[in-house]
Amino acid sequence: MENIAEYLKEERSQPWRDELRKSMKAKERTSLERIHMPEQDPEERSHNYLEVNLGLTEEQALVESHRCLDCPDPTCITGCPVGINIPKFIKKIEAKDYLGAAVVLKETNALPAVCGRVCPQEVQCEANCFYTVKLKKTPVAIGNLERFAADYERNSGKISVPEISEQNSIKVAVIGSGPAGLAASGDLAKFGYDVTVFEALHEIGGVLKYGIPEYRLPNEVIDVEIESLRKMGVKFRTNFVVGKTASVDDLRKEGFEAFFVGSGAGLPRFMGIPGENHIGIYSSNEYLTRINLMHAADPDYDTPILRGKTVAVIGGGNTAMDSVRTAKRMGAERAILVYRRSEKEMPARIEEVKHAKEEGIEFLTLHNPLEYFADEQGRVNRMKLQVMELGEPDASGRRRPVPVKGSEFDIDVDLVVVAIGVSPNPLIPHALPGLEMSKWGTIVVNKDTMQSSIPDLFAGGDIVRGGATVILAMGDGRKAAAGMHKYLQEKVKSR
Amino acid sequence: MNKIVEKEFFSENVCKFIIEAPDIAKSRKPGNFVIIRLDEKGERIPLTIASSDEGKGTITLVVQRVGVTTAKLLSMEAGENIHDVVGPLGKATHIENVGTVLCAGGGVGVAPLLPIVEGFKKAGNKVVTVLAARTKDLVILEEQMRAFSDEVIVMTDDGSYGKKGLVTAGMEEVIQREKVNLSVVIGPAIMMKFAALTTQKYNIPTIASLNTIMVDGTGMCGACRVSVGGKTRFVCIDGPEFDAHQVNFDEMLQRLGSYKKEEAEAYERYLKTVQ
Ligand SMILES: Cc1cc2nc3c(=O)[nH]c(=O)nc-3n(C[C@H](O)[C@H](O)[C@H](O)COP(=O)(O)OP(=O)(O)OC[C@H]3O[C@@H](n4cnc5c(N)ncnc54)[C@H](O)[C@@H]3O)c2cc1C
Ligand SMILES: Cc1cc2nc3c(=O)[nH]c(=O)nc-3n(C[C@H](O)[C@H](O)[C@H](O)COP(=O)(O)OP(=O)(O)OC[C@H]3O[C@@H](n4cnc5c(N)ncnc54)[C@H](O)[C@@H]3O)c2cc1C
Ligand code: SF4
Ligand code: FES
């Protein structure tokens, strides 16, 4: 930790940073208002799939970069799970060296254009910004600036491909191509390994592709990053389920010397209430996969999707929010979010809640479904709801919702999306007897190296954490790559 | 990309495909299936692996034309490529020596039954197979079944071949004649429902292989869910085989009809494009 503090100090004392700091008084900087991310008009966007946030203009980014005080003790960094050198990249923007800003981001974050869009900055870096903590003002728009620098680099066509150490021709396998797997493969390629990513689906990207909708994270953004990895020599094998198409043992025989498992938490949970298997009741994974991965909303594609006039989405996380906003875009007259706690307890990002409200999503908080009913064909047409109230705090520290007796009532619905969470994907654990698992079905690892109970197997992301975030998955991937590197170097030495 | 190396029609609407898929050919077991996507815009559909040739690196699929995707596949020729093939998926059939096994296949369910019949025979069981079809021309794989069965009984709805009657009549004939230790039934959901009711009367343990609608086939979406013994299970990872006496076939039948309207419209559109 001391090294990092020293490194930050050293970087901060470089002449160009000194000069920038002196170029404007702190008072002037703090008197600037936080810029607003330009957005598509709510009414218009609730009928299309185009990106809602339009990105900062260069002028806006410049103004915002001036707000950052380049603090001697940049507390924002402590809020970032991968420790991006935040003031440095923001000051690069202030110096109009946008490509340089992107390079700073990429020192620690493999996918800044993705994180700039989907990270919950309001509880991470921005929550720890000097403005928030000490000045009680709106924080520097760190996330928006991150996105600006990353987009600038992408649009410039001058994407920096990281330097790669000499190829060592040691074969390593990455299982799963979500953010954890992509981050791990990038670092492993940098270390000089011969990396192959195995992905069960026909597309690379994991949740970034099949889950998070186009209007929040365009596929193009991810594809550019995947292209960079290809340029670094990473090989991708889609339609390959490790544990089915070939076992880890088979891959060992093919010469793979170490494995990173980033297989995610893909298994949707249902509530187990009566009528939940009626036609027109989807898991959020199925609903979003049909639309995002299979393009079911586009008549040129073969995959069908059911549409509803009144759609109820059960849950309060990002997944629920994505589903309910998607339902609106699919033509629902009423798109209703049903959540058993109050809005304050919702795990979804504040920005998503705000966007959803602007788009006309109805919020039915402190309600919980009890049963679904169907017509003669088996299609859902009604649901029974119960009113809830908040009781004592539970293990998660949030107040536990308790049913209000005699409060049940029915509402008519013709489509339901259940978004109450996911469990870890059991395919890999089932295929690897001897792998130590937690009682929640996650892989147990050493927190520093991400090594599992099987020495040549490392893991990270949602398969280790249960449902978490993109940035945590990426951080794990990078940590695991470092752990694997150390393990393999020692193995090579002892040969 | 997986190349079609051979194509052969069994009947007007049922066709055998031999497809290059070396990894799958090596690892697949009886009961496993694949999910395929014909082209960039295609949907993902599950198909059982009927057999494989590890040496040649190929798998065999037997496909019945029922809608757009299967119709498109049946119009493809040897030499053409299928965009995506993933597998082998699902749990393999639990094969052991139990004594006498009664296998019953209806319609295109006969294809997935073939590797199971072969497996039980090779494990030393006596295997009696009942093949059912609407009419003579729709009876498929009879010869291959005979190679691995001690006896094959063919039933047709119209009596144009074999015996006249439903699959359940053929099954009852065997059950009343000899001790059956296990029954395996694969076919349309409605057939499996009645086959299961038949064996339940005689307390014969019975396995059904379910053909629910699927998307990913890796447990990620829940499209394939069914109720088994009152619990929700995912056919792609918990199955496709389940205790037939525990399966809620009525719910499964309804769920199979989820997209009836959409499928019919899509088929109309497809027919227009090929005419
Ligand atoms: C709808 C939705 C919205 C979200 N929104 C946000 C957000 O705004 N911000 C945020 O930070 N987080 C968000 N999250 C959470 C975030 O996406 C996840 O935490 C993150 O994607 C986890 O990354 P991962 O790499 O561990 O797994 P995943 O992204 O789940 O990727 C795992 C991949 O592994 C593949 N796989 C699984 N098993 C095998 C196997 N045996 N062989 C080969 N491949 C296999 C899967 O097919 C999948 O592609 C959201 C999640 C969802 C579902
Ligand atoms: C594990 C498994 C193994 C299968 N193995 C085979 C096989 O070896 N050979 C074969 O021909 N078919 C098999 N099927 C069924 C096959 O997947 C469907 O026939 C196919 O998806 C239909 O697609 P379509 O676009 O041609 O027809 P659609 O237009 O989608 O459907 C037309 C009709 O077929 C029914 N249908 C749709 N999807 C399915 C489905 N998944 N299963 C059964 N009926 C369906 C619909 O109810 C509808 O009435 C299997 C299904 C599963 C789940
Ligand atoms: S805490 Fe805020 S003001 Fe200080 S360096 Fe970080 S972003 Fe800039
Ligand atoms: S097909 Fe998606 S979970 Fe079974």
Side-chain angles (χ1 to χ4, degrees):
Chain A
M1 199 60 212
E2 230 157 69
N3 298 349
I4 293 174
E6 239 156 67
Y7 156 80
L8 290 175
K9 215 188 226 159
E10 202 182 298
E11 290 268 330
R12 186 174 179 269
S13 62
Q14 292 200 352
W16 70 273
R17 294 262 295 264
D18 258 343
E19 220 166 281
L20 274 184
R21 269 197 305 277
K22 287 184 195 136
S23 69
M24 192 175 186
K25 284 205 184 75
K27 257 249 162 67
E28 275 175 72
R29 291 183 188 273
T30 56
S31 66
L32 294 168
E33 284 290 314
R34 175 170 161 139
I35 43 88
H36 282 283
M37 171 65 90
E39 294 167 359
Q40 254 199 90
D41 171 71
E43 166 56 24
E44 206 170 299
R45 74 183 189 228
S46 68
H47 303 293
N48 68 39
Y49 295 89
L50 303 175
E51 206 173 359
V52 170
N53 286 336
L54 301 172
L56 303 183
T57 62
E58 187 177 339
E59 293 73 40
Q60 285 177 314
L62 272 175
V63 172
E64 187 64 24
S65 69
H66 281 87
R67 291 184 72 220
C68 171
L69 299 165
D70 199 2
C71 304
D73 176 21
T75 46
C76 50
I77 298 181
T78 61
C80 175
V82 296
I84 291 179
N85 190 341
I86 294 168
K88 184 176 176 192
F89 102 80
I90 297 182
K91 291 304 117 178
K92 284 274 181 191
I93 294 179
E94 188 178 328
K96 297 198 185 164
D97 179 8
Y98 310 129
L99 291 176
V103 172
V104 175
L105 288 169
K106 284 194 173 171
E107 281 168 12
T108 42
N109 185 334
L111 309 169
V114 173
C115 292
R117 287 173 165 81
V118 304
C119 268
Q121 290 101 9
E122 66 276 8
V123 296
Q124 298 179 5
C125 51
E126 293 184 15
N128 288 284
C129 174
F130 184 75
Y131 279 75
T132 320
V133 180
K134 290 278 152 59
L135 302 178
K136 308 288 172 214
K137 284 189 171 190
T138 51
V140 174
I142 303 171
N144 294 353
L145 289 172
E146 178 180 22
R147 171 178 164 175
F148 170 80
D151 283 0
Y152 185 91
E153 186 195 39
R154 192 176 65 254
N155 296 330
S156 73
K158 293 186 205 109
I159 298 181
S160 61
V161 176
E163 248 178 75
I164 292 175
S165 317
E166 201 186 324
Q167 305 252 316
N168 60 23
S169 64
I170 296 175
K171 277 166 73 175
V172 297
V174 169
I175 303 167
S177 68
L182 293 179
S185 57
D187 275 12
L188 289 167
K190 275 191 235 168
F191 295 144
Y193 293 98
D194 178 357
V195 186
T196 307
V197 179
F198 295 94
E199 168 55 53
L201 293 171
H202 58 260
E203 282 257 17
I204 301 295
V207 170
L208 305 181
K209 274 280 173 62
Y210 76 71
I212 304 179
E214 189 73 9
Y215 62 82
R216 262 202 320 132
L217 178 63
N219 282 345
E220 187 220 330
V221 173
I222 309 153
D223 288 334
V224 169
E225 305 288 354
I226 293 166
E227 219 19 68
S228 296
L229 289 174
R230 272 189 227 268
K231 283 193 195 130
M232 291 163 67
V234 175
K235 286 170 252 173
F236 290 97
R237 288 206 57 187
T238 50
N239 296 317
F240 198 111
V241 189
V242 177
K244 292 278 181 188
T245 312
S247 66
V248 167
D249 248 343
D250 294 335
L251 294 177
R252 281 196 190 103
K253 282 184 202 125
E254 275 182 38
F256 287 95
E257 298 200 34
F259 300 84
F260 173 73
V261 180
S263 55
L267 215 65
R269 281 204 284 262
F270 289 92
M271 293 175 67
I273 57 177
E276 213 173 17
N277 292 344
H278 287 321
I279 299 172
I281 303 184
Y282 284 121
S283 74
S284 51
N285 270 2
E286 182 180 0
Y287 189 62
L288 293 171
T289 298
R290 281 181 183 271
I291 295 166
N292 299 332
L293 183 73
M294 305 309 297
H295 306 277
D298 182 340
D300 283 348
Y301 286 74
D302 291 341
T303 301
I305 182 91
L306 297 174
R307 293 170 198 257
K309 280 202 177 72
T310 309
V311 183
V313 174
I314 320 300
N318 284 323
T319 315
M321 219 55 78
D322 283 342
S323 302
V324 78
R325 294 175 66 197
T326 297
K328 190 82 189 175
R329 284 163 174 76
M330 294 289 290
E333 284 163 20
R334 292 183 66 193
I336 309 167
L337 191 90
V338 179
Y339 182 52
R340 64 197 178 114
R341 303 178 197 249
S342 79
E343 194 177 317
K344 216 175 83 214
E345 285 84 20
M346 273 190 190
R349 295 192 55 199
I350 293 169
E351 181 182 53
E352 277 228 69
V353 175
K354 170 180 161 274
H355 281 162
K357 285 190 172 160
E358 288 167 1
E359 287 162 16
I361 306 300
E362 295 171 46
F363 280 58
L364 210 52
T365 50
L366 289 168
H367 283 77
N368 205 28
L370 289 179
E371 184 172 1
Y372 300 102
F373 305 93
D375 63 16
E376 270 155 33
Q377 279 78 48
R379 169 83 182 241
V380 65
N381 61 3
R382 201 156 47 86
M383 69 192 282
K384 186 186 283 304
L385 286 174
Q386 175 155 54
V387 179
M388 312 291 282
E389 61 188 5
L390 292 179
E392 296 299 306
D394 64 9
S396 73
R398 296 178 301 178
R399 291 177 65 193
R400 187 194 305 273
V402 284
V404 175
K405 274 213 182 76
S407 64
E408 298 87 359
F409 65 101
D410 289 3
I411 63 168
D412 290 343
V413 289
D414 54 0
L415 198 77
V416 175
V417 180
V418 182
I420 57 161
V422 284
S423 309
N425 191 318
L427 275 174
I428 293 280
H430 279 176
L432 283 173
L435 180 63
E436 192 188 338
M437 306 294 297
S438 74
K439 65 174 183 226
W440 299 280
T442 53
I443 298 178
V444 176
V445 294
N446 171 321
K447 294 236 159 37
D448 298 319
T449 60
M450 308 309 279
Q451 190 173 31
S452 75
S453 60
I454 299 175
D456 64 352
L457 196 123
F458 297 73
D462 282 1
I463 188 67
V464 165
R465 296 170 179 274
T469 59
V470 172
I471 188 70
L472 286 171
M474 281 182 14
D476 284 358
R478 301 202 61 200
K479 218 192 267 176
M484 191 189 285
H485 184 43
K486 192 154 167 263
Y487 163 81
L488 285 171
Q489 292 308 313
E490 272 161 24
K491 195 166 147 189
V492 167
K493 249 189 259 154
S494 65
R495 272 209 276 252
Chain B
M1 290 284 188
N2 301 64
K3 192 154 107 198
I4 301 174
V5 290
E6 209 183 302
K7 174 188 180 187
E8 181 194 339
F9 275 98
F10 283 162
S11 69
E12 193 196 338
N13 288 319
V14 177
C15 191
K16 176 179 101 174
F17 289 93
I18 298 180
I19 291 166
E20 268 176 14
D23 291 324
I24 303 174
K26 212 188 310 179
S27 49
R28 78 102 198 176
K29 295 198 172 63
N32 285 147
F33 62 95
V34 289
I35 285 198
I36 66 160
R37 191 173 70 129
L38 295 179
D39 53 50
E40 283 283 351
K41 297 189 171 167
E43 63 179 335
R44 296 169 63 103
I45 66 159
L47 297 166
T48 306
I49 306 166
S51 62
S52 63
D53 185 329
E54 199 182 325
K56 292 196 181 118
T58 58
I59 56 169
T60 301
L61 308 176
V62 178
V63 187
Q64 179 173 19
R65 174 168 26 216
V66 295
V68 175
T69 305
T70 46
K72 280 185 185 166
L73 178 56
L74 260 63
S75 73
M76 288 175 78
E77 299 300 336
E80 288 187 76
N81 283 308
I82 297 176
H83 202 286
D84 303 286
V85 178
V86 60
L89 301 171
K91 287 195 174 137
T93 310
H94 183 70
I95 289 175
E96 57 180 341
N97 189 341
V98 292
T100 299
V101 183
L102 172 60
C103 295
V108 79
V110 174
L113 193 60
L114 182 61
I116 296 171
V117 167
E118 183 181 341
F120 276 110
K121 183 67 207 168
K122 285 184 176 160
N125 293 282
K126 175 179 180 189
V127 179
V128 181
T129 304
V130 180
L131 296 182
R134 273 203 324 278
T135 183
K136 181 175 185 225
D137 293 342
L138 302 180
V139 177
I140 60 166
L141 296 172
E142 184 187 343
E143 215 176 294
Q144 288 90 326
M145 285 292 184
R146 284 198 192 279
F148 299 111
S149 308
D150 293 84
E151 183 187 351
V152 172
I153 300 170
V154 178
M155 306 291 303
T156 51
D157 292 5
D158 62 1
S160 55
Y161 185 59
K163 291 180 180 153
K164 184 172 155 72
L166 298 174
V167 73
T168 41
M171 291 172 75
E172 294 239 39
E173 180 190 318
V174 179
I175 294 166
Q176 278 166 7
R177 170 186 88 191
E178 62 188 297
K179 166 99 184 123
V180 173
N181 303 88
L182 179 74
S183 181
V184 182
V185 298
I186 311 184
I190 191 80
M191 169 220 145
M192 290 192 278
K193 176 182 168 175
F194 285 103
L197 287 173
T198 304
T199 57
Q200 197 162 21
K201 271 196 310 207
Y202 302 96
N203 276 324
I204 299 168
T206 302
I207 296 165
S209 178
L210 307 186
N211 54 352
T212 51
I213 292 173
M214 291 189 178
V215 182
D216 59 300
T218 63
M220 185 264 274
C221 76
C224 61
R225 65 195 195 273
V226 287
S227 297
V228 181
K231 279 216 185 85
T232 294
R233 309 289 299 273
F234 289 3
V235 173
C236 67
I237 50 169
D238 301 326
E241 289 167 12
F242 293 96
D243 176 350
H245 299 153
Q246 301 289 323
V247 174
N248 183 340
F249 282 106
D250 293 328
E251 178 189 280
M252 179 180 150
L253 268 165
Q254 268 195 340
R255 285 185 62 80
L256 272 174
S258 293
Y259 300 98
K260 241 188 204 130
K261 196 169 128 252
E262 289 78 6
E263 286 158 355
E265 287 166 5
Y267 201 60
E268 286 288 305
R269 276 201 304 276
Y270 169 73
L271 286 180
K272 278 199 193 111
T273 62
V274 289
Q275 269 158 16

